[in-house]
Amino acid sequence: MNKFIKSLVLLFFSLGLLAACQQKPTKVIDESAHVYEKKAVLIDTRNPFLYESFHIEGSQNLWWEDFLVLTNPKKKTRVLDPDLLQTVERLASKGIHPDKTIVLLNDKADAIENKKWKWLLSYLEIDTIEMKSINDLKKSLKGQNNRFAVAEPQKPWKLLTSEDFQKDLVTKKAKNCFLQWKPKDCL
């Protein structure tokens, strides 16, 4: 029994010694997110697979195909969602609003996806839209904190254009400027 008590005391002493030798946890200093512009919203327009593979922290993904609806299942005909109020609600949930600067990001600044979104957002009464390549944005911020704050959801805005104009936009112009990109019809 005496040997058992000695072993037990030795075990507790060893555990105490090991516990005393452990390093204290490192404190992590949480740097606040870099604000590209106070009112800027970063939108990555690449397909969801590429976005999930790599994206700038704080950017949101908008894939143009997610805003199409199927009108004829047999022919697989798709069009821009004719309910522009629903489109505005979805965009507002991503932080997009006419009061914000929208920065469209892709592998190339003049990528077709950026052009499609710039076209649609301008028709949805958003005036301040920039198109940038991801690499150009990273280069312009070299040496700075490259974390961005995720844009907070906004309240949907009311479109000032007439319902006839909105219907014309969806039925006539969106086919050549959002489903496809035909520059002569869209600029």
Side-chain angles (χ1 to χ4, degrees):
M1 185 74 135
N2 200 10
K3 192 174 187 181
F4 174 75
I5 293 175
K6 286 183 181 179
S7 297
L8 194 58
V9 169
L10 185 59
L11 177 67
F12 283 122
F13 178 74
S14 299
L15 288 175
L17 185 61
L18 286 175
C21 292
Q22 288 183 351
Q23 292 182 344
K24 292 183 180 180
T26 305
K27 289 185 180 181
V28 176
I29 299 172
D30 184 31
E31 297 178 32
S32 62
H34 177 78
V35 178
Y36 178 68
E37 280 185 37
K38 286 191 175 193
K39 292 187 169 190
V41 179
L42 298 179
I43 300 295
D44 192 319
T45 63
R46 297 173 304 149
N47 72 52
F49 177 77
L50 292 175
Y51 175 79
E52 288 300 326
S53 298
F54 164 79
H55 63 271
I56 293 178
E57 188 176 343
S59 66
Q60 307 244 14
N61 185 233
L62 279 183
W63 182 234
W64 65 276
E65 288 183 6
D66 292 340
F67 287 77
L68 304 180
V69 293
L70 188 63
T71 58
N72 186 337
K74 288 184 180 181
K75 293 184 181 180
K76 297 182 182 178
T77 306
R78 299 183 325 159
V79 297
L80 176 64
D81 188 346
D83 186 353
L84 287 181
L85 297 178
Q86 181 176 325
T87 300
V88 166
E89 286 178 15
R90 291 178 66 193
L91 294 172
S93 73
K94 297 276 190 175
I96 296 173
H97 192 273
D99 295 340
K100 303 282 185 177
T101 298
I102 309 304
V103 181
L104 301 172
L105 299 170
N106 206 304
D107 293 329
K108 295 181 181 177
D110 64 346
I112 289 175
E113 292 86 1
N114 278 359
K115 292 176 182 178
K116 288 178 179 184
W117 279 110
K118 184 174 183 177
W119 176 85
L120 181 61
L121 293 173
S122 66
Y123 272 101
L124 295 177
E125 303 166 5
I126 296 179
D127 297 326
T128 313
I129 305 167
E130 299 175 14
M131 298 190 313
K132 294 191 176 286
S133 77
I134 293 171
N135 284 335
D136 287 345
L137 179 65
K138 287 170 48 179
K139 285 178 188 174
S140 71
L141 300 169
K142 195 167 188 170
Q144 298 180 34
N145 179 2
N146 289 337
R147 289 180 48 226
F148 295 87
V150 175
E152 294 196 13
Q154 302 293 307
K155 289 185 178 180
W157 63 97
K158 183 175 168 101
L159 295 174
L160 302 175
T161 55
S162 70
E163 287 186 30
D164 290 337
F165 178 82
Q166 293 173 30
K167 186 176 180 180
D168 186 53
L169 170 75
V170 170
T171 58
K172 296 179 182 172
K173 295 180 181 177
K175 181 179 179 184
N176 291 336
C177 299
F178 197 71
L179 274 69
Q180 304 168 23
W181 180 254
K182 295 183 178 178
K184 62 181 174 124
D185 297 337
C186 306
L187 299 176

